[in-house]
Amino acid sequence: MPIGTPSKDSPFSGTGTFVPHVIVRNLTAAAQAVTITIEYPGEDGPAQAALPPLPLEAYRTKDIPLDSVLGSLPLPLPFCSIRIQYSGPPGSVIGEVSSVESKGDLVIDSRLANEGDGWAGSGAHPWHLDDQTESVLFLTNMGDKDAEIGFRVQAEGVPYYLIDLSLKPHETKTIDLRKLRDAQKPDFQGNKIPAGATDGSVLWIRLQDVPVMGRLVVMQRHKGLASNYDCQYCICPPSIDSLSVSPSSYGLLPVQTHPYTSRATYKDCNGSSTYYDRTSNSTWSSNNTPVATVNDSAPKGLVTAVAGGSASIGATYVGILYMPNCQPPPCHVPCICYYPAKNGGGTADVVTISGPQTVWWFNGQNPSGYTTSIQLTANPAGQSQYTWAFSAGSDKATFSGQSGNTINLTGTALSVAPGADVKVKVTVTFSGGGSKTSSDYPITVRGPKKVVATGRIDDYSDSTYGYFSDVYYTIRDNLDQTFAQSIGLNEHWTSSAVPDAPFEGTNWRQGIAEGTTTSTSQFYDHMGGEAISLPAIPTPTGPCQPTRCTQKVQHWGQEWLVGSETVGAGARVQTDTLQKYKDHARHEGIVSPAP
């Protein structure tokens, strides 16, 4: 009802200045008292201003203008509601309320609703919009408890729902159909009121046993007309039919959060559906808390991803099922109440990669005890598609053998640092639609990188070959770690033997390259002179004392490879020149790591 000069945000703005009139008639032979309360929107919620009780004589009709109280109200106001109470028995007073514009060219009437009327709780009204016509729905909670409202607008065959509309005790709310249409905000189904719609219907229904009054005002300002619609169609609130959880499935990464909501579906007396958000009223649970948890306290329904996999997120809400024609407690309308628990559920899919994070590389060799191909697993399993990719390091590893949510990874070159240069990700396309890409999964490609001289060299005489020299090394990988298990290695000649002056005519032979397996990371090169019985020219001798002989006899190129006993196979860790002297042998021109 407009009162005074409506504020700029009022649906009655620009229509004039109004004085509400309350007309009441006493239907009995006894005098009564009438109390009128003006309810209006305040800064902190619904506010009230009550007039002193007014006498109403027997069989008397009285017109009570409310102009006398305008000065006590925080005008301007967008609208007000008027509550009339009387001292006699129920049904002993009838009344009407009209708000009269001061110039007398516009009167806005309002139907009165009895708080004890079991039909006070639903409505279905036609609306119209054009350049001069506005349609505004007024909803008033006449009770002393909060009232939740099911709400639907129908236009051009498209249903549009509000699922969070509620009223505080004695609160009136307005819903401007033009503003609601022009906002073009999608509802939970993604529907919008068609932008060009000019006609339709609006339906509302209370969801609890609380008396609620609704009225649609269609105003034509240029004609000074206001039409009221207040048809009601159901005696009982709608009954809960089902509960659903949204999203039905959602992809997350560990520690990410996402709000899930529960929504109740209600069926009214005509079998029509309406909906309401029950997120904060539901009891929430996860069937797999190691994968995902869900808040059952504020903020309810907030899911937190923990680890890879799928978790079912459940919501339970105890609603009310109404049956007409009965009135036991706690219902206060001719309806019997049942309290069924409704359940709904969704899925939280937490996307991760699991599996080893180290793969060994030996340049194509597969020594026992070292995993040169690892299997990675994408979580959760059983989804529509898994797309693997390298975020980094595609030059150091390759994929093969994908099967479902698993794939094999093989190293092709050594990592520079642990987990730094090879990173894998997977995009999971979910069976229910949508996709999610995992965080980078770091992989380290380990393998032999270099050999380090221990400093130990043994030179000693031999009766057959004149001498032997043993040069000791330790094998280290690209993380500068020694090898904990046995490993194969071999030497390989990179050139033929070249005699050194003045022994161009030497008959010393180039040895045979060999491989071996060492149980530790340490090995040595066992290098001898030449068979004295050949006869060797020159004749090798035992180590000279106190310093070694400087006479060179022959040399050739040598490389060391790790990962196999087969000569020439494996990862190269060192190149050098094997130099034979008359009384000893050495590695010279050492390069390690070797490109």
Side-chain angles (χ1 to χ4, degrees), residues 64-110:
I64 307 169
L66 302 185
D67 51 351
S68 62
V69 299
L70 297 184
S72 63
L73 299 175
L75 299 177
L77 291 170
F79 53 82
C80 74
S81 297
I82 295 174
R83 189 180 190 194
I84 305 168
Q85 296 168 291
Y86 51 92
S87 59
S92 61
V93 170
I94 60 173
E96 185 170 334
V97 177
S98 298
S99 197
V100 181
E101 201 276 320
S102 59
K103 295 180 181 180
D105 59 356
L106 181 61
V107 176
I108 296 179
D109 295 325
S110 176

Side-chain angles (χ1 to χ4, degrees), residues 409-434:
L409 182 144
T410 303
T412 58
L414 298 179
S415 294
V416 174
D421 49 10
V422 179
K423 296 177 181 178
V424 174
K425 60 184 178 181
V426 65
T427 299
V428 180
T429 302
F430 301 110
S431 302

Side-chain angles (χ1 to χ4, degrees), residues 353 376-378 386-389 399 402 405-407 424-426:
I353 297 173
L376 302 178
T377 301
Y386 299 86
T387 304
W388 295 85
F399 291 129
Q402 181 173 352
N405 65 322
T406 65
I407 200 166
V424 174
K425 60 184 178 181
V426 65

